[in-house]
Amino acid sequence: MDFFTAQDQARRKTGRLVVLLVLAVLALIAVATLAIAIALQLMDGGQPAGQAQLADQGLLSALSVELVAGVAGAVLVIVVLGGLFKRSQLRRGGRVVAEALGGREINLNTRDADERRILNVVEEMAIASGTPVPSVYVLEEESINAFAAGYQTNDAVIGITRGTIRNLTRDELQGVVAHEFSHILHGDMRLNMRLISILHGILLIGLLGGMLLRSMRFRRVGGGKRDNSGAVILALGAVLMLIGYAGTFFGNLIKSAVSRQREYLADASAVQFTRNPKGIGNALVKIGSHTQGSNLQAAQAAEFSHLFFSQGVRLGFSQMMATHPPLNDRIKRVMPSWDGRFEATMPTQQEQNETSDSDEAAARVEPGMRSATLAAVLTGASAQTAINSMGQPDQRHLSQARATLDALPKQLKTAAHEPYAARALMYALLLSEDQGIREHQLEALQKTALPDVYHELMKHAPEVMRLDVQLRLPLIELALPALRSLSVEQVQHFRLCMERLMSADGQVSLLEWTLYQLVLNNLSEQDNGPANLKLDDVQRECQVLLGVLAAAGQDAPVEINAALSAAESELPFALTAPGDVNDMRGLSLAVDRLRRLRPMQKPALLQAMARCIEHSGVIRPAEAELFRAVADILDCPMPPLLMED
């Protein structure tokens, strides 16, 4: 399944789930109305006339339009307010889930060998898939489990238990992490977060019932012949708990059915990504052989059960509530030759030695790969391959990601993991090659930036300015987790410093605009409205974007027009000669509107961008990184363009 089809299906599935959950709420309203009608009749139970009326007229006579409307309004208010409250709690994205489960964010410069190993695996996977590097949280639990949480790629986190990184080999960790990246790329993660909010609204009814029952501890029941309010409150609390649990039961059935199917797809994607079925297969086998399996002890594990790599809570008597398929079925699908035995195996001493040395042995590329990566060329087919691989990268992208990380200077990789130095690296990328302008930029920045950040800038700027152009985007991706740790005030100051650097020469270049937008897109919450536009609705915006892209790779007007003609073949409308290709404000407005394209409308735009940069037969590294950066800004994570000798 390609990226855009998966995104579209996830969006459609969200609508279907809402419909199913609305039906569940309607069932709750019916049950609640009936229960309250019975309670009202029981309140008159002390009067013989009331009992006779109930017997004579039947229960239906107690059901009035006012009662049904009142109960329906109360249930809807509780469900909606509960869901909105939970959604506001989850607004910060995946880190809220990780912290609720007791997770601790791993220090990016940790010296713990296990933590360093998982960070390296996550960084490789992120760069290979074209997504921002997510923050990684460790849960101090001995079971083997993991999860991905967040609404978008820029607020996603990977959570993993201590037992996972301690008991799995690097290949097995790759399989688990690739499985979680599949959830990120295919829209499952966002769907799962929305389910948490919706189900919380239904669960709130049961919580209110529990509160009523607990309140009865402070009052007497049946204090007098005419005072049966205590009994009514007791009955109402019990009824509300039953209603709430009934709603949760049906909601969990829906959640479980959806989750089980998506787990099979994520397993298959992990195999395609790593080209190593034994990686994820043996990880599942180890779960079956582990004494604690994949069960988590965290108090809120049940609420987030559908996010986990494997079943996170004990099932009890029924398999209907299982959020994951049986381990046997999952293992057989990825390793058909598995003998059916769960044998406990631990990493060998050799594997432990390999991973203790900062994971360099596992990530080492072949001799000459580093220089070959920088000397290779991008052909016209490179962009098409990248588009076709969106959401489903493979071993080639993973190998190139390793080569790219190996090509980055070690000093810069270390600096990218520290918040002060990460800001300095972004400033260094904005420095002009013209010495006069650069001195003016540094003078302006020295007055604005924090002294420690400015010191880091002067330390790393020479090496950053010598960096090959195709290594700029990976460096930004590596720095994003450190930048996301900044407070709101620090982000505002960081943006101010970048803006001062860009405006030092009186104009904003395309490279400066791309860097600024890429960082901003991953640090700030983006609310662009519903994704409901078609290409015909954004003709002017496509013209602006493609005009700038064509001018970025060509100088002669004839070549620019040729690039636009190539792009036009993928669009349902004609393109004209570009206007002001230096109007970066206009480009920003155009991209903001293009973000609202429907998922199935974006492939044509990306294909047009690819035709634009590949029409000459060879893609320049600067064009390739601009192409990928704009795709990321449009919420289309694109894997690296594969290079050929």
Side-chain angles (χ1 to χ4, degrees):
M1 183 187 302
D2 65 81
F3 170 79
F4 300 101
T5 301
Q7 291 283 323
D8 187 60
Q9 286 189 2
R11 183 174 64 90
R12 294 175 183 272
K13 195 176 289 289
T14 300
R16 294 171 187 167
L17 286 174
V18 170
V19 172
L20 292 174
L21 289 168
V22 165
L23 293 176
V25 171
L26 291 176
L28 291 183
I29 292 173
V31 174
T33 303
L34 184 62
I36 292 177
I38 294 175
L40 291 175
Q41 292 293 327
L42 291 176
M43 289 180 65
D44 296 331
Q47 302 177 5
Q51 292 181 357
Q53 183 181 10
L54 178 62
D56 294 338
Q57 299 181 8
L59 183 60
L60 292 179
S61 62
L63 299 176
S64 63
V65 175
E66 292 79 7
L67 176 63
V68 174
V71 172
V75 171
L76 286 175
V77 167
I78 293 173
V79 171
V80 172
L81 290 182
L84 292 176
F85 173 74
K86 194 64 178 181
R87 184 175 181 180
S88 67
Q89 283 188 321
L90 298 174
R91 188 171 184 177
R92 290 194 301 127
R95 63 181 62 246
V96 178
V97 176
E99 291 167 1
L101 290 169
R104 171 184 61 82
E105 185 172 3
I106 297 179
N107 187 310
L108 295 173
N109 284 321
T110 179
R111 295 185 178 181
D112 183 281
D114 288 336
E115 294 179 357
R116 182 69 259 161
R117 180 163 57 120
I118 186 61
L119 287 177
N120 287 340
V121 170
V122 170
E123 287 175 351
E124 286 179 6
M125 292 287 178
I127 292 176
S129 60
T131 59
V133 178
S135 301
V136 183
Y137 282 74
V138 61
L139 280 60
E140 297 298 340
E141 302 214 25
E142 293 304 316
S143 59
I144 300 176
N145 219 327
F147 65 87
Y151 287 102
Q152 299 174 329
T153 56
N154 59 10
D155 64 18
V157 306
I158 296 291
I160 196 156
T161 63
R162 178 67 64 181
T164 303
I165 58 179
R166 183 176 294 163
N167 292 300
L168 301 191
T169 66
R170 192 179 198 279
D171 285 347
E172 292 160 359
L173 275 179
Q174 274 193 335
V176 172
V177 173
H179 174 103
E180 299 306 329
F181 267 89
S182 173
H183 287 313
I184 296 174
L185 291 167
H186 293 150
D188 303 337
M189 182 179 67
R190 181 184 303 179
L191 177 63
N192 289 337
M193 294 288 282
R194 289 174 176 170
L195 272 174
I196 294 171
S197 300
I198 295 173
L199 292 178
H200 181 79
I202 296 177
L203 179 63
L204 191 58
I205 299 176
L207 296 177
L208 290 176
M211 291 171 60
L212 284 176
L213 291 179
R214 287 191 294 272
S215 71
M216 292 304 299
R217 293 180 299 176
F218 305 104
R219 62 175 296 166
R220 292 173 58 191
V221 180
K225 293 182 178 180
R226 294 181 177 272
D227 183 14
N228 60 355
S229 59
V232 171
I233 293 176
L234 184 64
L236 183 60
V239 168
L240 286 177
M241 286 190 67
L242 289 174
I243 294 171
Y245 289 135
T248 304
F249 173 77
F250 290 113
N252 283 340
L253 281 181
I254 297 171
K255 179 178 70 174
S256 300
V258 173
S259 179
R260 285 195 295 267
Q261 187 60 33
R262 305 305 289 183
E263 293 304 317
Y264 283 131
L265 295 175
D267 287 346
S269 295
V271 173
Q272 177 175 318
F273 197 165
T274 62
R275 283 294 189 268
N276 183 10
K278 290 185 178 180
I280 187 172
N282 286 333
L284 293 169
V285 171
K286 284 187 176 179
I287 290 176
S289 64
H290 196 272
T291 54
Q292 298 187 29
S294 56
N295 295 317
L296 299 180
Q297 303 301 317
Q300 293 182 261
E303 183 179 8
F304 305 120
S305 60
H306 57 299
L307 273 66
F308 300 134
F309 172 70
S310 185
Q311 191 71 40
V313 294
R314 299 187 185 278
L315 294 177
F317 68 91
S318 176
Q319 293 289 327
M320 293 179 62
M321 307 302 290
T323 54
H324 293 68
L327 282 177
N328 302 57
D329 292 349
R330 293 177 66 183
I331 297 171
K332 278 290 187 182
R333 288 197 178 205
V334 297
M335 293 196 310
S337 60
W338 178 55
D339 59 8
R341 292 184 296 176
F342 291 101
E343 296 180 350
T345 57
M346 294 293 292
T348 64
Q349 186 63 43
Q350 179 182 359
E351 291 168 337
Q352 292 176 347
N353 292 338
E354 287 177 350
T355 58
S356 64
D357 189 17
S358 300
D359 209 32
E360 292 179 1
R364 187 181 297 121
V365 296
E366 296 178 3
M369 177 66 78
R370 173 173 172 173
S371 58
T373 298
L374 302 183
V377 297
L378 295 168
T379 66
S382 299
Q384 298 297 325
T385 302
I387 293 175
N388 295 334
S389 300
M390 290 178 61
Q392 44 188 8
D394 56 34
Q395 182 63 36
R396 297 172 300 168
H397 300 97
L398 191 57
S399 298
Q400 186 155 308
R402 289 175 179 171
T404 300
L405 287 172
D406 184 68
L408 276 169
K410 185 176 181 180
Q411 181 181 358
L412 295 186
K413 286 190 288 188
T414 302
H417 291 154
E418 202 280 321
Y420 280 93
R423 280 175 278 183
L425 295 181
M426 299 304 101
Y427 298 155
L429 288 171
L430 289 171
L431 293 178
S432 174
E433 295 181 357
D434 183 278
Q435 183 176 355
I437 297 176
R438 184 166 64 253
E439 291 176 354
H440 186 49
Q441 286 178 311
L442 292 174
E443 181 181 353
L445 188 63
Q446 190 173 17
K447 298 176 182 178
T448 310
L450 297 175
D452 290 342
V453 176
Y454 187 80
H455 173 75
E456 292 291 331
L457 169 64
M458 301 307 294
K459 176 181 177 182
H460 298 295
E463 194 161 24
V464 172
M465 296 188 67
R466 293 194 300 268
L467 202 62
D468 289 272
V469 65
Q470 63 262 46
L471 296 178
R472 293 174 183 171
L473 184 55
L475 182 62
I476 296 173
E477 292 172 336
L478 282 183
L480 286 176
L483 295 175
R484 280 196 290 264
S485 69
L486 301 178
S487 66
V488 175
E489 294 76 14
Q490 288 173 325
V491 169
Q492 291 175 346
H493 184 258
F494 177 47
R495 290 179 58 180
L496 174 64
C497 291
M498 287 195 294
E499 290 167 0
R500 293 282 175 88
L501 281 172
M502 292 189 296
S503 60
D505 60 351
Q507 60 182 1
V508 179
S509 69
L510 181 58
L511 176 62
E512 292 172 336
W513 176 89
T514 303
L515 170 62
Y516 179 74
Q517 290 292 330
L518 189 59
V519 173
L520 188 64
N521 187 58
N522 286 282
L523 292 187
S524 304
E525 184 177 346
Q526 304 294 325
D527 185 12
N528 305 300
N532 56 4
L533 298 180
K534 298 180 180 179
L535 281 173
D536 289 332
D537 301 325
V538 290
Q539 293 188 35
R540 185 181 65 83
E541 288 77 10
C542 291
Q543 174 71 56
V544 171
L545 172 60
L546 292 168
V548 172
L549 192 60
Q554 287 75 216
D555 298 322
V558 175
E559 288 298 320
I560 293 176
N561 290 331
L564 287 176
S565 296
E568 186 180 282
S569 64
E570 299 290 341
L571 299 172
F573 47 80
L575 296 174
T576 60
D580 184 4
V581 295
N582 296 315
D583 181 11
M584 295 298 105
R585 176 173 174 77
L587 180 60
S588 297
L589 294 174
V591 170
D592 284 342
R593 186 164 169 79
L594 288 171
R595 284 192 179 116
R596 292 183 54 196
L597 278 173
R598 295 178 181 178
M600 298 307 294
Q601 295 288 304
K602 290 183 179 180
L605 176 59
L606 290 178
Q607 291 285 358
M609 293 169 59
R611 298 294 185 194
C612 185
I613 65 174
E614 71 182 9
H615 81 286
S616 64
V618 176
I619 303 174
R620 300 176 184 175
E623 290 179 294
E625 294 311 303
L626 176 60
F627 172 53
R628 292 188 62 218
V630 172
D632 180 84
I633 294 170
L634 293 175
D635 298 322
C636 299
M638 185 172 296
L641 274 65
L642 297 175
M643 299 185 179
E644 300 178 8
D645 294 337

